[in-house]
Amino acid sequence: MDNEEFRKFGHELVDWIAEYRKNVGSLPVRPNVRPGEIKNRLPAAPPEQGEPFEKIFSDFQSIILPGMTHWQHPSFFAYFPANTSPPSILAEMLTAALGAQCMSWATSPAATELEERMMRWLSAMIGLPPSFTGVIQDTASTATLCSVLTAREARSRFTVNTRGYPSYTRFTAYCSKEAHSSVEKAIKIAGIGKEYLRKIEVDETFALRPEALERAILTDIKNGFTPLLAVAALGTTGSTAIDPLRAMGELCRKYKLWLHVDAAFAGSALVLPEMRAMLDGIELADTFVFNPHKWMFTNFDCSAYFVKDPSLLVKTFELLPEYLKTAEEGTVNNYRDWGLQLGRRFRALKLWFVLRSFGAEGIREKIRSHIALAQDLAGKIRTSADFELLAPVPLNTICFRYRPRGASDLATVNSLNEKLMAALNAGGRIFLTHTKLNDRFTLRLVIGQTDVRKEDVDRAWQLIQTQARELA
Ligand SMILES: Cc1ncc(COP(=O)(O)O)c(C=O)c1O
């Protein structure tokens, strides 16, 4: 493709994207395909000769698009959103055009310095203490792994990095039963051993019980373990429960544990002063992560990781082979040393475009409107005769189930809700997912799509009620 063809197709593609964004709501949210169906339509080997772009793009539309779940659909209420926005898409195009690999300051000074500035902007927007320094990671899973590894190194005075685990080391780690699986994954990968991750009881709001945490720490100390770290979830994946950060922080101080805060989804809500209560005690944390790629209109991937002491992070990850040395060593941030990967994408650009394009107030308005829509629907479910809420709704995630009058047997009600979800999702008009809370099959409906409107939520509620009546 020469540059003039690129110009032509580029214009056409932007037109296509604008149309897609306008019409995505009329597509089925989920594809109706069987496993293997898409792969079987793709040739087994790459073409020997280059193909025209028209043909490639036509195949994208006829083969790939029908196999996509439309995450930007206004009726996508599943998982947590991975929302995006026009400025983010445009910045991503520029990032691809620049094609820069931003591993160190010298490999693109502007990328490093923009990232430094964006992390400061974000930190101020969500009310983190100025003592935290930020770096962009690909995902919260990676950020949590970085935190676990840094905790391990800080505690072992960097000896695990150099000599591996000494035979006497028996670290333990703590999170609630509702914490995200990425915590367990990090504990596995860091060599702590997932058997030594203590999953602590939760209260009736699904938040960690600090007294149970203290009991677990004391038992472990008594049994010769070294409690290493705890993870507090601000917004669990199941129901956006908020762990008691201050109480956990005080216990971590008392027993010398590292404290990581996983606010992957709910962290975006901290732009709202009325949501800041959940951050009470943040000064006691060592690290904090939230994902602009979930609920801050910045397309996947972009995870904001904040650390209290960057020197511990850098010491955990840095290596300086001859071929990476630059003249500025020691005077600039070389982000290659702030995480797992060496090569880094220029993710700060899309954040810059988004934050400037929306403005902090624009972001606050959107997030506030999502929470208001969720609170409105939660109110309807609360007063409905045949549906019930199964968890508090602190933000924009509603956990509920259908329980027609007279239905009380757990297995029957669970199966009814499983069928309800399957029928709703098969219809293609909305998409929601589930979790289990207290053994109850729980429908989760998350309202965080960039342009979701009241009519989209009202339509979803109508569909859910109609479908439920049909099943009953
Ligand atoms: C609370 C929480 N932590 C971590 C993650 C993992 O996020 P990522 O996909 O960025 O690794 C999720 C994903 O939904 C989450 O809800």
Side-chain angles (χ1 to χ4, degrees), residues 79-80 138-142 144 179-182 233-237 262-265 289 291 293-294 300 303:
Y79 306 109
F80 280 139
D138 52 7
T139 59
S141 303
T142 300
T144 295
H180 189 262
S181 57
S182 54
L234 297 188
T236 57
T237 313
D262 176 5
F265 177 67
V289 65
N291 284 347
H293 72 223
K294 278 184 160 57
F300 194 86
S303 187

Side-chain angles (χ1 to χ4, degrees), residues 171-386:
F171 286 137
T172 47
Y174 308 82
C175 65
S176 92
K177 289 195 156 149
E178 291 289 322
H180 189 262
S181 57
S182 54
V183 177
E184 185 165 332
K185 193 185 249 186
I187 293 297
K188 266 172 38 165
I189 298 172
I192 289 165
K194 67 177 190 169
E195 276 184 23
Y196 303 108
L197 175 63
R198 314 300 191 204
K199 294 186 182 168
I200 305 299
E201 287 301 323
V202 292
D203 64 16
E204 60 294 343
T205 71
F206 304 100
L208 178 139
R209 286 184 186 277
E211 66 283 4
L213 172 61
E214 183 161 28
R215 268 199 309 276
I217 294 173
L218 286 172
T219 307
D220 283 333
I221 293 173
K222 198 166 120 220
N223 292 330
F225 289 99
T226 304
L228 175 66
L229 93 155
V231 179
L234 297 188
T236 57
T237 313
S239 70
T240 61
I242 315 287
D243 284 345
L245 185 54
R246 177 165 297 285
M248 290 180 72
E250 282 165 0
L251 288 175
C252 288
R253 278 258 163 111
K254 185 168 168 190
Y255 297 105
K256 297 192 174 50
L257 272 74
W258 181 272
L259 178 60
H260 175 56
V261 180
D262 176 5
F265 177 67
S268 294
L270 291 168
V271 294
L272 303 179
E274 64 269 28
M275 291 294 158
R276 289 274 170 81
M278 61 175 150
L279 213 50
D280 177 45
I282 186 64
E283 70 282 2
L284 302 170
D286 293 283
T287 52
F288 173 96
V289 65
F290 92 100
N291 284 347
H293 72 223
K294 278 184 160 57
W295 193 18
M296 209 182 257
F297 323 112
T298 308
N299 66 278
F300 194 86
D301 49 3
C302 183
S303 187
Y305 179 52
F306 294 91
V307 300
K308 202 182 254 168
D309 184 348
S311 72
L312 294 176
L313 174 69
V314 170
K315 217 169 153 200
T316 299
F317 289 102
E318 77 185 338
L319 280 175
L320 191 53
E322 192 56 36
Y323 46 81
L324 290 180
K325 283 185 186 155
T326 62
E328 298 79 19
E329 270 346 294
T331 62
V332 292
N333 279 337
N334 287 319
Y335 280 130
R336 59 161 197 253
D337 294 331
W338 291 56
L340 272 61
Q341 51 189 132
L342 169 64
R344 303 179 81 245
R345 280 165 32 72
F346 185 9
R347 296 190 186 88
L349 193 68
K350 58 189 172 189
L351 212 40
W352 192 43
F353 275 38
V354 168
L355 298 183
R356 292 184 65 186
S357 187
F358 280 80
E361 190 49 37
I363 288 179
R364 283 194 286 271
E365 259 171 38
K366 278 265 176 216
I367 290 184
R368 205 174 262 135
S369 77
H370 294 164
I371 295 174
L373 287 174
Q375 296 301 325
D376 180 52
L377 177 57
K380 289 179 181 154
I381 294 175
R382 203 173 282 122
T383 54
S384 148
D386 292 335

Side-chain angles (χ1 to χ4, degrees), residues 412-439:
T412 311
V413 179
N414 277 357
S415 147
L416 189 58
N417 281 277
E418 205 168 341
K419 282 190 198 129
L420 173 58
M421 188 180 78
L424 285 166
N425 290 345
R429 295 178 63 197
I430 64 170
F431 181 28
L432 34 91
T433 47
H434 79 284
T435 188
K436 275 226 168 127
L437 295 173
N438 291 331
D439 296 327

Side-chain angles (χ1 to χ4, degrees), residues 25 73-77 373 377 429-430 445 447 449-464:
H73 195 295
S75 299
F76 180 103
F77 299 109
L373 287 174
L377 177 57
R429 295 178 63 197
I430 64 170
L445 193 150
I447 302 173
Q449 295 304 74
T450 307
D451 294 319
V452 63
R453 299 153 310 171
K454 184 168 181 338
E455 48 266 44
D456 300 311
V457 180
D458 288 347
R459 192 174 341 99
W461 178 223
Q462 283 307 327
L463 269 172
I464 292 167

Side-chain angles (χ1 to χ4, degrees), residues 8-59:
K8 173 174 173 297
F9 295 131
H11 282 288
E12 286 176 22
L13 217 64
V14 171
D15 279 342
W16 185 92
I17 294 170
E19 285 303 302
Y20 172 75
R21 286 180 37 77
K22 195 165 95 190
N23 299 323
V24 63
S26 62
L27 300 171
V29 196
R30 288 180 77 209
N32 182 14
V33 291
R34 287 178 305 281
E37 196 177 318
I38 307 289
K39 193 162 67 184
N40 290 337
R41 295 186 63 193
L42 300 167
E48 224 25 73
Q49 307 301 326
E51 297 182 82
F53 185 76
E54 288 93 334
K55 170 107 184 21
I56 302 171
F57 192 56
S58 152
D59 285 349

